Amino acid sequence: MSTSYIDEAAGSDATGTGSQDAPYQSLGYALFTHGDSVKYLFRKDATAAYDEPTQSSLKKAKKTADGLEKKKKKAEELAAKEAKDKAEQKEKKEKLLEESKKIVLEEDQSLPKATRAKVSKLADLRGQRVRVFGWVHRRRDQGGIIFVVLRDGTGYLQTILSGRVAQTYEALTLTLESTIEVIGTLHPVPEGKTAPGGHELSVDYWRVIGSAPGAEDAFTNRLNEKSDPSIQADLRHLVIRGENASGVLRLRSYLLNAFREAYASENILEVNPPCLVQTQVEGGATLFKLDYYGQPAFLTQSSQLYLETCLPSLGDVFCVQESFRAENSHTRRHLSEYTHLEAELAFIDFNDLMSHIEEIICKTVDILLANPITAGLIKSLNPSFQTPTRPFTRLSYVEAITWLNEHQIQHPEEDSSGNPIKDEQTNQINMVDHKVGDDIAEAAERQMTDIIGKPVFLYGFPAELKAFYMKKMDDKEGEGEKNVRYTESCDLLMPNVGEIVGGSMRISDEEELLAAYKKEGIDPSPYYWYTDQRKYGTTEHGGYGLGVERFLAWLANRYTVRECALYPRWPGRATP
């Protein structure tokens, strides 16, 4: 006869096998498992020897085993009942589906002719019969009635399928993201009920145009809120069907229209510069190079130089153009391709430039908030959004260095190659105070802006940190360390995002510009057309570039600018 071991202190009924190495924990479970076919050895303490159980403990264990046996039988009976019910339900469903195939819907021609309309245009058609096309956004079955929320890109419509129209094979198998046509009477929602737009459609005829798959390939199985970010990036074409993602893209469209309206109110003309260029603007290290009919060319980093050439003929100008930066940056505010809103203005000074940027930003926000549609979008995406207070804070670069040190915001110490220096003992990166001449890192800049809690113009950066074309401040305007030349440049920083605008006054003197080319090691000959602006009637002028995705991230409270582009591009990502 085999032996089963029970160790009350160290055994386990869940994982034990009854061997001496893997004993059970309770005698009752051992009896339930093996009955009278084995010999039982029992101990209460792992340090004690095994011994046969007493008669009283066997009697008690027998009651436990009987209870477990009853519980097992009850579970088996329940499982059998559930299996039977499931089989009956399956049979009933299959029968219902088979019967549903016999139901063929036809539009009742005796009813009033339906007016075809987009969802966004339905409010004026209440009480009438309408025809709407769209995608099945949500579906809910309730006592033989099917509620379908339809999406057509302009809005959402709740539709109700009841009676015969809810009994067809197509109705019973309708899947999310299928495209359908629905016809019915539009009614205001009953008192106390809610629905998109305040109305719902009682359907009298409908049909499937394109069915979407179910089962394993169903939309919600391919993509849901818990999907890995890399999967979401691969399935961006499906992600944008979601309410938040489409809401951000919709707001983006209205935002660009609002910017255009704001510029029009300032008599600033839109132009369309080229994307293929043969000159650099922001440094050669970030250029995407390509072969252009046997000549070297690049994707543009900025349209600034071209905008400057428009000033003598068109006056103040702006553009909305894609820009490309080959920076290996994986931060939440960097893209390799982004929408660049740039403007150039003539006959201004540095204060005029910052005041203009502030005016355009605030006017654009005012336009958006004055429109009930866009105001609603902002409210849904960013419930705590508040209009920025004016005037914006202006903080010089030197003042910012002092502020960072006073607030003990440090940055990593770097070697001559720009690599972080680590402490040999702790292997931790050494953190040091900021000093004049440092390029204020993104993290420190954003932390400062978040603490200040409102828009900040950071201005007057050292010339060594900025592009060749930026105008230098007069010596009397320079602040801080001796021998440091500062530029009439500025960044507009927004809480939660950081820099959204970068601008400057441009060098207006031809000789000074030629000297800037030489200092940067730039051959001036490809820039002849740009230099000519200083030769044929120069003037003080300046401009700026605004990252549309960054502005939208601030407006819609998005964590990353990747959510603010239709198909975002960043290092290693060029699909779909």
Side-chain angles (χ1 to χ4, degrees):
M1 181 181 288
S2 60
T3 301
S4 182
Y5 293 86
I6 300 96
D7 187 330
E8 200 170 75
S12 171
D13 290 341
T15 60
T17 60
S19 68
Q20 195 164 359
D21 292 334
Y24 294 119
Q25 185 182 34
S26 68
L27 181 57
Y29 185 80
L31 277 170
F32 165 70
T33 306
H34 300 288
D36 297 327
S37 63
V38 300
K39 176 183 178 181
Y40 295 102
L41 291 178
F42 174 84
R43 69 181 180 186
K44 288 192 174 185
D45 189 333
T47 61
Y50 282 101
D51 198 1
E52 292 188 8
T54 64
Q55 286 300 315
S56 62
S57 60
L58 277 171
K59 187 176 180 181
K60 185 178 179 182
K62 186 73 169 63
K63 288 183 178 180
T64 302
D66 289 345
L68 289 171
E69 185 63 33
K70 288 178 182 178
K71 194 174 181 181
K72 178 186 175 185
K73 286 183 178 178
K74 190 174 182 180
E76 287 173 347
E77 288 172 359
L78 185 62
K81 185 177 183 303
E82 287 178 350
K84 183 182 177 183
D85 290 346
K86 192 174 182 180
E88 288 177 353
Q89 287 175 6
K90 183 181 179 183
E91 185 181 351
K92 185 178 178 182
K93 185 178 180 180
E94 287 176 350
K95 186 177 179 181
L96 185 65
L97 284 173
E98 203 58 41
E99 289 295 318
S100 70
K101 292 178 181 177
K102 300 175 183 177
I103 301 174
V104 179
L105 294 182
E106 290 185 4
E107 186 177 357
D108 188 343
Q109 300 299 324
S110 67
L111 294 174
K113 183 176 175 61
T115 301
R116 179 171 176 172
K118 294 285 187 181
V119 170
S120 62
K121 302 294 185 182
L122 289 175
D124 294 334
L125 297 173
R126 290 178 183 175
Q128 300 181 39
R129 196 161 175 264
V130 298
R131 179 191 306 265
V132 182
F133 296 83
W135 287 261
V136 176
H137 189 65
R138 281 195 292 271
R139 175 205 167 123
R140 175 170 57 90
D141 291 23
Q142 185 176 311
I145 299 174
I146 302 174
F147 294 88
V148 174
V149 174
L150 196 67
R151 182 189 76 241
D152 74 345
T154 72
Y156 301 89
L157 171 66
Q158 179 167 286
T159 66
I160 302 172
L161 279 64
S162 61
R164 198 163 181 268
V165 294
Q167 296 166 3
T168 65
Y169 181 79
E170 289 76 13
L172 298 179
T173 59
L174 184 62
T175 51
L176 295 182
E177 295 304 320
S178 294
T179 44
I180 61 175
E181 173 191 7
V182 290
I183 300 175
T185 305
L186 191 68
H187 300 287
V189 291
E191 185 99 18
K193 302 288 185 180
T194 59
H199 45 235
E200 57 190 10
L201 187 71
S202 296
V203 177
D204 58 60
Y205 174 78
W206 74 284
R207 68 185 179 95
V208 175
I209 297 171
S211 61
E216 291 182 3
D217 207 26
F219 185 85
T220 50
N221 287 336
R222 290 194 69 190
L223 182 72
N224 54 60
E225 291 178 355
K226 297 180 181 179
S227 296
D228 185 89
S230 63
I231 293 175
Q232 292 189 29
D234 288 337
L235 300 179
R236 179 68 178 167
H237 60 294
L238 301 182
V239 169
I240 61 176
R241 298 187 181 200
E243 290 176 37
N244 278 341
S246 63
V248 170
L249 295 176
R250 192 178 306 280
L251 180 57
R252 177 189 168 107
S253 176
Y254 282 107
L255 171 62
L256 291 174
N257 286 337
F259 268 121
R260 288 186 165 99
E261 186 178 335
Y263 281 117
S265 71
E266 300 286 327
N267 294 314
I268 300 175
L269 194 68
E270 183 172 6
V271 294
N272 305 105
C275 277
L276 290 170
V277 300
Q278 291 185 305
T279 51
Q280 69 183 50
V281 182
E282 299 295 337
T286 65
L287 287 166
F288 284 108
K289 189 173 182 179
L290 54 94
D291 179 86
Y292 185 70
Y293 301 106
Q295 302 177 55
F298 314 101
L299 294 177
T300 183
Q301 301 164 313
S302 166
S303 298
Q304 174 206 320
L305 306 189
Y306 294 98
L307 293 181
E308 289 187 50
T309 69
C310 297
L311 295 177
S313 57
L314 301 174
D316 298 341
V317 290
F318 80 99
C319 72
V320 181
Q321 178 72 282
E322 298 305 292
S323 282
F324 304 84
R325 301 280 173 90
E327 296 175 90
N328 194 21
S329 296
H330 293 264
T331 75
R332 60 190 178 102
R333 68 173 196 171
H334 278 91
L335 292 170
S336 298
E337 176 188 0
Y338 65 98
T339 303
H340 210 174
L341 191 151
E342 298 179 88
E344 286 293 320
L345 300 91
F347 305 107
I348 61 169
D349 61 25
F350 190 33
N351 283 324
D352 294 334
L353 177 64
M354 288 188 282
S355 295
H356 162 82
I357 294 171
E358 180 177 318
E359 177 67 18
I360 288 293
I361 295 291
C362 292
K363 186 173 285 190
T364 298
V365 170
D366 288 343
I367 291 169
L368 291 170
L369 294 179
N371 182 333
I373 296 174
T374 47
L377 278 171
I378 294 170
K379 182 69 175 176
S380 65
L381 294 166
N382 186 4
S384 61
F385 178 79
Q386 292 184 337
T387 305
T389 55
R390 302 180 68 174
F392 293 174
T393 298
R394 296 189 183 187
L395 190 68
S396 76
Y397 165 84
V398 175
E399 290 170 337
I401 294 291
T402 302
W403 190 99
L404 291 168
N405 291 335
E406 286 176 349
H407 288 76
Q408 299 180 337
I409 298 174
Q410 298 181 306
H411 69 99
E413 185 180 12
E414 297 178 345
D415 59 23
S416 57
S417 301
N419 299 312
I421 298 174
K422 292 185 177 181
D423 184 277
E424 294 181 0
Q425 294 183 335
T426 65
N427 202 36
Q428 298 292 315
I429 294 174
N430 292 336
M431 301 298 290
V432 295
D433 287 344
H434 289 82
K435 64 181 185 298
V436 172
D438 288 342
D439 190 359
I440 301 175
E442 175 196 342
E445 188 179 77
R446 193 167 63 240
Q447 192 175 351
M448 177 182 70
T449 312
D450 289 349
I451 291 172
I452 293 173
K454 54 184 180 179
V456 176
F457 272 117
L458 190 57
Y459 70 91
F461 296 92
E464 296 301 320
L465 302 177
K466 289 297 180 180
F468 71 91
Y469 53 76
M470 293 188 179
K471 181 184 176 183
K472 311 298 187 296
M473 284 185 172
D474 294 336
D475 288 339
K476 62 181 180 181
E477 295 180 82
E479 302 178 57
E481 301 294 318
K482 190 177 181 181
N483 300 324
V484 176
R485 289 301 305 276
Y486 299 93
T487 55
E488 291 191 344
S489 58
C490 63
D491 289 344
L492 178 59
L493 314 177
M494 287 293 194
N496 300 321
V497 178
E499 179 194 343
I500 64 166
V501 179
S504 76
M505 296 298 292
R506 320 307 193 188
I507 292 174
S508 58
D509 180 77
E510 182 180 2
E511 293 303 317
E512 187 180 347
L513 180 60
L514 292 171
Y517 290 143
K518 185 175 181 181
K519 183 179 180 182
E520 293 293 322
I522 296 173
D523 178 5
S525 55
Y527 293 84
Y528 71 93
W529 52 274
Y530 181 66
T531 309
D532 273 355
Q533 304 308 307
R534 281 78 183 161
K535 187 174 182 180
Y536 294 95
T538 190
T539 183
E540 294 297 320
H541 64 287
Y544 56 92
L546 177 147
V548 170
E549 290 81 8
R550 290 187 185 181
F551 188 92
L552 184 56
W554 165 71
L555 189 66
N557 193 29
R558 298 297 96 182
Y559 176 74
T560 169
V561 293
R562 295 176 185 180
E563 297 180 56
C564 300
L566 180 59
Y567 287 99
R569 301 295 187 236
W570 64 87
R573 168 65 62 177
T575 54

